[in-house]
Amino acid sequence: AQKVTQAQTEISVVEKEDVTLDCVYETRDTTYYLFWYKQPPSGELVFLIRRNSFDEQNEISGRYSWNFQKSTSSFNFTITASQVVDSAVYFCALSGAHSGAGSYQLTFGKGTKLSVIP
Amino acid sequence: DAGVIQSPRHEVTEMGQEVTLRCKPISGHDYLFWYRQTMMRGLELLIYFNNNVPIDDSGMPEDRFSAKMPNASFSTLKIQPSEPRDSAVYFCASSAPGHYGYTFGSGTRLTVV
């Protein structure tokens, strides 16, 4: 069974602070994919990043960066110099690579609500 | 591309009524997923299809829920009869061959009173 744990339920930061959102996952698959989604107050789910299990390189996209550590089964997300527009719920998710039942779908964590205070 | 299109955006219905939610996936995507989001349970998978065939419906809560995908461009999720505990946001998502990620629709907010 797959499981994603986001231990931080809510985080508040002051604008321009850096913030890291934690994600720990469990899977028996040797090949899998990790994702981060953003859900702003408007409610849609916005794709941020996809990572496969063979690529442990960290990734940076503007103010966003992701740290994937297979040894600790973690895929953490850092926002540098946070802005009010970053306020949202952020979901970490996991899927297997196989198309069989129980593996291919996204398993989501419970989400971390980030509030950036001006 | 118009993305994944869901309708209606909002639905308010009375307990006991039938509710039908609709989804049009992105053209060329061969996987379609239905998720439900509630405060208590978060985002949970209800069912998913591959090439219009249901692959895993173990997340469908009970027989009151049914889903169909008659063709590659349309899927429905039906609740009959609806109950207040079905109130949630229902998301549809589709995925392309090669597993390059999932695109979600805007969701349908269902309120059963």
Side-chain angles (χ1 to χ4, degrees):
Chain A
Q2 298 176 332
K3 184 178 179 181
V4 176
T5 302
Q6 295 180 255
Q8 305 149 308
T9 305
E10 292 193 40
I11 300 176
S12 289
V13 298
V14 177
E15 200 171 19
K16 297 184 183 178
E17 286 184 346
D18 299 347
V19 59
T20 295
L21 310 181
D22 297 333
C23 173
V24 174
Y25 63 91
E26 296 175 30
T27 181
R28 293 180 180 173
D29 291 344
T30 54
T31 302
Y32 51 89
Y33 295 87
L34 294 162
F35 301 80
W36 276 94
Y37 282 84
K38 174 182 180 180
Q39 188 173 42
S42 53
E44 71 270 27
L45 284 161
V46 179
F47 168 81
L48 295 178
I49 189 171
R50 163 191 171 268
R51 213 83 177 121
N52 75 53
S53 52
F54 295 110
D55 184 359
E56 289 193 69
Q57 285 190 348
N58 292 333
E59 182 156 340
I60 298 174
S61 176
R63 297 185 296 107
Y64 295 171
S65 62
W66 291 270
N67 182 282
F68 176 28
Q69 292 197 343
K70 214 168 179 177
S71 60
T72 56
S73 298
S74 65
F75 186 45
N76 297 336
F77 174 30
T78 297
I79 301 174
T80 302
S82 59
Q83 299 176 1
V84 173
V85 294
D86 297 327
S87 297
V89 180
Y90 291 86
F91 292 95
C92 182
L94 165 72
S95 79
H98 306 292
S99 57
S103 181
Y104 194 72
Q105 73 274 18
L106 276 174
T107 298
F108 284 89
K110 294 295 186 185
T112 297
K113 183 178 181 180
L114 174 65
S115 299
V116 181
I117 304 164
Chain B
D1 199 324
V4 176
I5 299 172
Q6 290 187 247
S7 64
R9 288 297 306 273
H10 302 274
E11 177 81 37
V12 179
T13 191
E14 291 185 348
M15 183 174 63
Q17 296 298 307
E18 177 180 295
V19 176
T20 300
L21 312 181
R22 297 172 176 80
C23 175
K24 177 179 169 56
I26 292 173
S27 177
H29 283 194
D30 59 349
Y31 282 87
L32 184 139
F33 305 82
W34 283 100
Y35 282 84
R36 179 171 68 175
Q37 185 177 32
T38 60
M39 289 295 293
M40 291 298 296
R41 300 175 67 90
L43 278 156
E44 53 181 345
L45 177 72
L46 299 177
I47 185 171
Y48 77 92
F49 297 82
N50 179 218
N51 292 322
N52 313 336
V53 176
I55 302 299
D56 184 355
D57 65 354
S58 59
M60 296 286 263
E62 47 197 277
D63 292 344
R64 298 184 297 107
F65 285 69
S66 62
K68 294 181 179 179
M69 192 165 186
N71 57 61
S73 59
F74 184 65
S75 177
T76 59
L77 177 67
K78 186 176 293 186
I79 308 172
Q80 166 62 20
S82 57
E83 297 182 3
R85 60 190 167 127
D86 301 330
S87 297
V89 179
Y90 291 81
F91 286 101
C92 176
S94 67
S95 176
H99 204 316
Y100 288 101
Y102 305 76
T103 303
F104 283 81
S106 299
T108 295
R109 182 174 294 276
L110 174 65
T111 304
V112 184
V113 298

